[in-house]
Amino acid sequence: MMFAERLRRLKQQLTAADVDFLALVPGPNLVYFTGLRMHLSERPIVALLPANDAPPILIAPAFEVGKASAELAWRTYSYADGTPYQAAFEAAANACDLHGKTIAVEPLGMRMMEWTLLSQAVRQLKHVFATELIAPLRMVKDATEVAKIRQAIALAESAFTRTLGHIRAGMTEREVAGVLMSHLLSAGAQSLLFEPLVQAGPNAANPHAHAGNRPLQRGDLVVIDFGAVVDGYGSDITRTIAIGEPDAEMRAVYEVVKAANAAGRAAARPGATGEAVDRAARAVIESAGYGPSFTHRTGHGLGLEGHEPPYMVRGETTILQPGMTFTVEPGIYLAGKGGVRIEDDVLITAEGSETLTTLTRELIIL
């Protein structure tokens, strides 16, 4: 019933935009609307979800079509390994009268392989980008989705707390990441949202540097960015810790970022915009004189994807609504010295917002 309701709302979006089909490849959107979990590979897979009441269409390898739930009464067109893919696409185009239709495609998901096969099979194919059709549906999470995000957060926080007991000077960034990954998986994460980022000392001045072989040293600030996935939904958390007392400047930078994080979360409420959240956090950092050192947006939506709408960034005019989940993660990065980032996961509620992450924001000194 959940997928039937999601498809009903999708059909309304497609009809209003005068679009006949939404074309999806394996990924979060396909999971969201149909529950169908498949992997992108060298074998093309395309699902076509119609604006009318006809059943959805699936073009896939013969051994994969059995995954299609009978609940949605899929029309399936398959090919066997070693045979041309094009025949299955042409059969779907002819049987389902796709010719001359307008199809919405995922601009960040549809590959040239699938698009070329569709374009060759469908005469007079017209296309539009699907982002503005899908985003309003996925941005607002229902209670079940929020519960899964809460689980992913609780699991990640537990793993991080356990990891703290193992961190010591002399360990490499990579060793810390390995311990954290082990705890995330042993705690029950189905997968990791991404490989944990562990950046110590000067390396922390690069917001997205991968964990390397640099040993942790006394006085280092260490940025640790991590997330877990529970039933497809993720958490995304960053904490900055210290190996011994950091120097006075970096200690002060930490306090500025903590204040910016609090300001961003305080600005998150129904009726506000992502731009307003970004502006609130950024104003704290700019007033402290570190504006040029805050080099990324304040946050991003969180759900089936680690980065999804809405975004907490200048120019984001999407109105925040109850059920939206996103990160607030201001940071300051000083080349040659280090960096600080504090990232929390936030839920917009009817009354304002709830910070879902519970880890302390005070500097943890090991």
Side-chain angles (χ1 to χ4, degrees):
M1 292 298 294
M2 174 179 67
F3 298 118
E5 172 59 20
R6 290 176 179 178
L7 287 173
R8 183 191 67 79
R9 292 187 291 124
L10 173 63
K11 289 174 182 180
Q12 291 178 337
Q13 291 283 90
L14 296 176
T15 300
D18 198 24
V19 172
D20 300 296
F21 291 91
L22 170 63
L24 300 176
V25 296
N29 287 321
L30 186 59
V31 172
Y32 181 81
F33 288 111
T34 73
L36 191 56
R37 297 179 184 273
M38 293 181 166
H39 298 287
L40 281 173
S41 74
E42 74 282 5
R43 301 179 177 100
I45 296 175
V46 174
L48 294 158
L49 308 184
N52 58 28
D53 291 329
I57 302 162
L58 178 65
I59 307 169
F63 66 88
E64 291 273 40
V65 296
K67 292 181 179 179
S69 168
E71 175 187 344
L72 298 181
W74 289 89
R75 293 174 283 176
T76 59
Y77 300 86
S78 64
Y79 54 85
D81 277 350
T83 63
Y85 306 138
Q86 192 66 37
F89 282 78
E90 291 176 354
N94 294 327
C96 302
D97 191 24
L98 302 181
H99 304 295
K101 297 298 193 297
T102 299
I103 297 178
V105 299
E106 306 167 275
L108 300 181
M110 179 67 71
R111 300 182 301 183
M112 280 298 297
M113 177 170 63
E114 288 86 1
W115 180 247
T116 299
L117 289 164
L118 273 176
S119 300
Q120 292 175 347
V122 180
R123 297 188 300 274
Q124 298 179 315
L125 175 64
K126 294 170 281 187
H127 79 279
V128 297
F129 285 163
T131 304
E132 299 304 318
L133 302 175
I134 296 173
L137 304 178
R138 282 188 50 192
M139 277 193 291
V140 177
K141 273 61 176 182
D142 61 30
T144 299
E145 292 177 288
V146 173
K148 292 174 181 177
I149 294 171
R150 288 184 190 275
Q151 286 180 281
I153 291 169
L155 187 154
E157 291 188 328
S158 174
F160 176 75
T161 300
R162 292 170 61 194
T163 300
L164 288 176
H166 296 271
I167 299 175
R168 63 187 185 279
M171 291 181 71
T172 67
E173 296 169 338
R174 192 170 311 221
E175 286 172 333
V176 174
V179 172
L180 180 53
M181 283 191 283
S182 176
H183 285 314
L184 286 165
L185 294 173
S186 65
Q190 293 175 339
S191 61
L192 307 182
L193 193 64
F194 51 88
E195 183 178 324
L197 305 178
V198 179
Q199 303 142 299
N203 290 346
N206 183 342
H208 277 179
H210 290 286
N213 291 320
R214 181 187 182 277
L216 277 55
Q217 301 174 18
R218 304 298 294 178
D220 278 351
L221 287 179
V222 185
V223 176
I224 305 177
D225 191 341
F226 56 100
V229 175
V230 172
D231 199 17
Y233 287 81
S235 57
D236 189 1
I237 306 169
T238 304
R239 287 296 184 266
T240 300
I241 66 172
I243 308 300
E245 184 66 38
D247 68 33
E249 180 183 16
M250 295 310 294
R251 191 66 161 86
V253 165
Y254 186 93
E255 295 302 318
V256 173
V257 174
K258 185 177 74 171
N261 171 282
R265 288 184 292 113
R269 62 177 67 92
T273 63
E275 182 176 58
V277 174
D278 178 80
R279 185 166 54 244
R282 199 169 298 277
V284 173
I285 292 175
E286 290 175 344
S287 67
Y290 291 104
S293 299
F294 181 12
T295 55
H296 55 73
R297 63 194 173 200
T298 293
H300 53 80
L302 181 67
L304 284 169
E305 295 176 89
H307 290 183
E308 61 182 46
Y311 297 101
M312 307 302 111
V313 67
R314 182 175 59 187
E316 175 62 86
T317 58
T318 298
I319 301 298
L320 301 181
Q321 304 173 45
M324 289 185 175
T325 50
F326 52 88
T327 68
V328 173
E329 51 178 302
I332 294 175
Y333 310 95
L334 304 178
K337 295 182 179 180
V340 175
R341 184 166 65 255
I342 303 173
E343 177 182 20
D344 287 298
D345 300 338
V346 174
L347 166 70
I348 296 295
T349 66
E351 297 76 25
S353 65
E354 177 187 354
T355 300
L356 301 177
T357 33
T358 65
L359 292 171
T360 182
R361 291 166 204 90
E362 298 301 321
L363 180 61
I364 297 171
I365 301 177
L366 301 179

